[in-house]
Every structure is written in structure tokens, then in C-alpha cells.
Amino acid sequence: MAPIISNALQTFINVRPDINHNEEAKSNQQKKKWYAIAVGKTARSTGIYSSWAAAQVEVNRVSGACYARFHTYKEAKKFLREHQIQKKRQAQHEQTEESDDF
């Protein structure tokens, strides 16, 4: 059964038939930048931001700030996840060294 499309929707779709709307959406996604903050001013600073202005407030003048820019949200999320894993490993390593000292 073919989907039923209203006349208004069909008109909207046909406004620019020369454009492949899927390609245009992909192009817009590629232009978008994401900013992942692993270490910022506070613990609440950690996260993914869609604008540099918002992210910059959280990392500006922060010694040891850890952040990066990405082209996709997925890459930014991966960066945060990897940073959390590395932080846990470092904490475990430090605990092991402390227990060896006794």
C-alpha cells in the first residue's frame, strides 16, 4: 500500500525538485560542529555542546581543561566515553600503587 501524501506536503516536497533533500541534510550535518568537554570549570561542565560560545565559557581560563571539536555528535560522545575510561584506569593504577607502598 502506497503512503498517502497530502497536497500541502506534496507541494512542499516539490518546491525545489532540483535538490536532493537527503544530500542537503547530510551536508548540513557535516557543517555542524560539536564541542565535547571532558574537564571544565565544574563537574557540570562535562558534556557535549553545539556552540563554541557555550563551550568556551566552561573551559576559558581553566587549568587542565580537556575539550575538543568534532564534526559529528557520535565522535564527541566517543571522546567523552574514552576519557572516562582513561580516568577510571588511572584511578585504579593509583590505588594499586598506594596498596603496594604498605
Side-chain angles (χ1 to χ4, degrees):
M1 180 178 201
I4 299 172
I5 300 176
S6 71
N7 287 340
L9 181 58
Q10 188 63 43
T11 302
F12 176 75
I13 292 170
N14 291 328
V15 170
R16 294 189 58 191
D18 58 318
I19 294 178
N20 181 337
H21 296 285
N22 290 334
E23 289 301 318
E24 186 177 17
K26 286 179 187 177
S27 173
N28 287 340
Q29 282 183 336
Q30 289 174 350
K31 291 178 186 175
K32 183 143 180 94
K33 294 182 179 119
W34 297 95
Y35 304 89
I37 299 175
V39 178
K41 284 184 180 178
T42 66
R44 295 185 84 189
S45 300
T46 300
I48 300 171
Y49 296 78
S50 60
S51 78
W52 172 240
Q56 188 176 21
V57 169
E58 301 299 330
V59 297
N60 202 22
R61 297 185 180 193
V62 176
S63 177
C66 182
Y67 59 96
R69 180 184 72 191
F70 299 93
H71 293 288
T72 66
Y73 184 87
K74 188 176 180 178
E75 290 172 326
K77 198 172 179 180
K78 181 181 176 186
F79 170 80
L80 289 178
R81 198 171 30 248
E82 287 175 353
H83 186 270
Q84 288 173 343
I85 291 168
Q86 183 181 8
K87 193 174 175 182
K88 284 180 184 179
R89 285 183 183 157
Q90 186 176 3
Q92 288 173 345
H93 180 70
E94 288 173 2
Q95 285 179 350
T96 304
E97 285 182 349
E98 287 177 9
S99 64
D100 289 345
D101 290 341
F102 291 108

